Amino acid sequence: MKIKVLSAVMLSVLLSGCAGQMAVSNATMKFNMDAVDNRYARGGLTILMAPVYAVTTVADYGLFNPIEFWTGENILTDKKSIYDMKGKNYIEINDDLDESLKTAPVKLD
């Protein structure tokens, strides 16, 4: 039973972290772009920083994007979750759903 619960929790965290603002990775990329003014040097720095990008991607997917999904805002950027932004909405389902399924379930206070 414990394995099933742990698996469900892990799956929900991982699936909710697939998209988000990628705040840590974007901050790393900004550092990379600010470090030097030459495109070739930036490219070389990107290669050298590959392990850093791996860590920041894991941090975003495993921690910060799921927090953004479940709370409705990114705790690093203080911006609204990308999941709540307006889109073209090719498929509209909100009118058919309960109100509790239209917003983030966890509130940061």
Side-chain angles (χ1 to χ4, degrees), residues 3-103:
I3 292 175
K4 288 181 182 180
V5 171
L6 182 60
S7 297
V9 169
M10 291 297 293
L11 186 61
S12 69
V13 168
L14 291 174
L15 290 177
S16 64
C18 293
Q21 294 176 39
M22 301 296 291
V24 181
S25 297
N26 286 334
T28 304
M29 179 60 74
K30 182 177 180 337
F31 168 79
N32 188 352
M33 296 299 109
D34 290 344
V36 64
D37 65 349
N38 179 271
R39 66 180 284 117
Y40 298 103
R42 286 176 176 167
L45 189 55
T46 300
I47 299 296
L48 292 174
M49 291 178 61
V52 175
Y53 283 110
V55 171
T56 62
T57 300
V58 169
D60 281 325
Y61 282 159
L63 180 64
F64 295 108
N65 289 355
I67 291 172
E68 178 181 333
F69 177 83
W70 292 108
T71 64
E73 69 180 74
N74 187 290
I75 61 173
L76 300 176
T77 64
D78 292 326
K79 292 181 181 176
K80 186 176 168 180
S81 173
I82 66 167
Y83 292 100
D84 296 321
M85 294 180 180
K86 298 291 181 202
K88 290 184 180 181
N89 301 331
Y90 299 115
I91 301 170
E92 295 185 4
I93 61 171
N94 264 344
D95 291 341
D96 300 328
L97 297 176
D98 183 85
E99 285 299 316
S100 66
L101 297 174
K102 297 178 185 180
T103 59

